[in-house]
Amino acid sequence: MGDVDDHAIVIGAGVTGVLTARALARRFARVTVVERDALPQEAAFRPGVPQSPQIHAFWKRGIDSAEHLLPGVTRELADHGAHRLTVPRDFLWLSPVGWFPRVSGTADLTCSRVLLDWVLRRMAGEDGRVEFLEGSQVTGLLATPGGDGVRGVLVRAAGSSEPRTLTAGLVADASGRRSDATTWLAELGYPAPAVERYDAGFGYSSRYYKLPDSAARDWKAIYIQTSPDTPRGGVLVPVEGGRWIATLLGCGEHVPPTKDDQFLAYARSLRSPVLYEALREAEPLSDAQAFRNTANEWRHYESLSRWPRGFLVLGDALCRFNPVYGQGMTVGAMSAKAVADAIDGMDPARIHRDARRLQRVAAAQSADAWGLATGEDLRFPWTEGRPPGAMVKLLHQYMNHVVAAGNVDPATCRTIFRVFGMNAPPAALFAPSSVARVLGRWRAPTTSPAVTATPPPATSPG
Ligand SMILES: Cc1cc2nc3c(=O)[nH]c(=O)nc-3n(C[C@H](O)[C@H](O)[C@H](O)COP(=O)(O)OP(=O)(O)OC[C@H]3O[C@@H](n4cnc5c(N)ncnc54)[C@H](O)[C@@H]3O)c2cc1C
């Protein structure tokens, strides 16, 4: 390997790429993040992250993982106006069957996606070992002379027709949902991974509003979840710059509109009027922007019979989720941290050889979130993908009772939100103590009232 040994390449400067660069900089002398877009000097939209105008909440486990890799990042984000919410205490949160009590379950950071990306990128760039090569698209992988590994990438700079080569001991693909890794691997003679896909067909529509004076409110955010009988919902959270971002979401004929008057009419049609009432008097600061294409998709690179040394795929490039559950960035951050932990104490040459194990480590971070997102999506009869078996249907029944119990029992509610925030595994909902609490409240209603008008008041911290 020689002098390329001490250099790593990360493809893509999104959340996963930047945090992975930080993780690799602990073991490699240099890390180059190759990014197709020109990178703005401030928090601004760029085409490589087309989903960034939509709501992007960062769950507790993601915050902790990012903080581990970039100490001080939470403070930095808060200094730029990000909001730290206690969930569901700061929310009016309507589950499919009723309101959650206002207890503290987990934490959530809310700011615009462009602010989050910019702060992460700027902080990672302060590490002298991390360099950004912007306006440069990776077009393929370079094979090692023996063909059993990857030793770099082909990069085409904006405006240039000829790619140049960039060599490295490790290449990590964090190029997001449109990753070409499967094609690049095929060019080196590797098989295509099995792809699992579930698509409930959700569409999003998001719009910014001026944050009104808070005197009259005892809440900071709203979430009206969808339910199988009413597959339309809405979220409202505060973000930097004295703004709210309001997001409407739904599937099939319930896909939300972008036109001004229809946006409010849709908000009014939700199972509770609270979101509509909040927006009715608020001043819009932007038009609504739509996003479709929200399928769950896992490319199972970790299961391939052959895997090249020196190559890794993580983040959305590996596994993406229906965003309704807000998991993608947290899983990306968890993967970067898991890789950092796995390479602790290893020299770069060993990391190159150990890529297959690292691929499994990265993929394992998706498992819980995948189970939750696809399990919930399979409640909708129109969801594309392998239909639910008896076990999944049984789990749906049990989870109906868990959520119903969580509406009346603060302890169950806390566990549910620790699972949402990914600081507890879904198995926590099946622990004997949780099952006992759910069984004790088995009679709580598990069908959705058409409109649930009265959200609970704030409670004392607990
Ligand atoms: C509507 C919507 C709402 C969402 N809401 C949430 C939420 O609330 N919470 C949450 O955690 N997640 C949410 N997500 C998911 C989140 O957006 C993704 O999980 C996250 O962006 C993944 O980060 P990433 O770094 O892996 O990929 P991306 O953020 O997609 O970054 C990939 C980067 O790679 C670059 N790139 C691509 N190809 C190349 C190439 N060949 N060469 C060089 N560079 C390249 C791109 O320009 C881009 O900068 C949402 C997603 C959607 C669609």
Side-chain angles (χ1 to χ4, degrees), residues 90-321:
D90 291 335
F91 275 74
L92 304 179
W93 189 305
L94 182 61
S95 80
V97 293
W99 297 97
F100 281 116
R102 311 271 302 272
V103 297
S104 63
T106 189
D108 196 4
L109 194 82
T110 59
C111 62
S112 69
R113 171 66 195 262
V114 292
L115 177 69
L116 183 65
D117 274 12
W118 175 69
V119 168
L120 292 180
R121 201 164 69 229
R122 206 168 43 78
M123 287 183 74
E126 284 165 8
D127 181 331
R129 291 161 298 186
V130 176
E131 192 191 354
F132 289 90
L133 185 61
E134 58 184 301
S136 299
Q137 181 179 357
V138 170
T139 57
L141 301 174
L142 276 180
T144 51
D148 66 344
V150 167
R151 77 180 271 121
V153 294
L154 297 169
V155 182
R156 194 172 57 223
S160 151
S161 56
E162 279 306 304
R164 67 180 175 109
T165 59
L166 202 58
T167 53
L170 186 76
V171 174
D173 178 22
S175 63
R177 51 175 47 218
R178 286 172 296 180
S179 161
D180 286 322
T182 300
T183 309
W184 298 337
L185 284 168
E187 286 164 2
L188 301 193
Y190 287 88
V195 179
E196 239 184 316
R197 193 170 196 278
Y198 294 92
D199 189 0
F202 270 90
Y204 267 55
S205 184
S206 293
R207 192 173 192 194
Y208 285 99
Y209 287 82
K210 188 170 176 201
L211 188 67
D213 175 26
S214 65
R217 295 189 303 274
D218 75 346
W219 51 267
K220 294 180 182 160
I222 294 173
Y223 192 174
I224 312 293
Q225 281 187 269
T226 62
S227 70
D229 50 338
T230 316
R232 51 171 68 199
V235 198
L236 181 73
V237 297
V239 295
E240 80 279 3
R243 295 173 298 164
W244 270 334
I245 183 167
T247 294
L248 304 175
L249 43 100
C251 40
E253 64 190 73
H254 300 278
V255 163
T258 52
K259 294 223 167 65
D260 284 14
D261 50 337
Q262 292 171 7
F263 193 87
L264 270 187
Y266 188 102
R268 193 177 198 167
S269 74
L270 301 180
R271 287 183 298 131
S272 159
V274 291
L275 182 55
Y276 166 73
E277 280 163 7
L279 294 183
R280 192 175 45 180
E281 304 294 335
E283 180 190 339
L285 298 176
S286 73
D287 290 336
Q289 296 209 38
F291 197 95
R292 309 281 183 256
N293 189 0
T294 54
N296 305 280
E297 190 173 279
W298 188 341
R299 302 171 204 184
H300 287 285
Y301 293 113
E302 73 287 356
S303 305
L304 281 180
S305 54
R306 289 192 307 122
W307 186 251
R309 295 172 172 212
F311 189 54
L312 194 56
V313 186
L314 20 69
D316 273 20
L318 170 69
C319 184
R320 65 183 169 104
F321 309 90

Side-chain angles (χ1 to χ4, degrees), residues 388-401 430 442:
M391 182 52 99
V392 172
K393 288 182 181 162
L394 204 63
L395 282 175
H396 287 160
Q397 293 303 320
Y398 177 68
M399 286 306 297
N400 290 345
H401 287 282
F430 301 89
W442 199 254

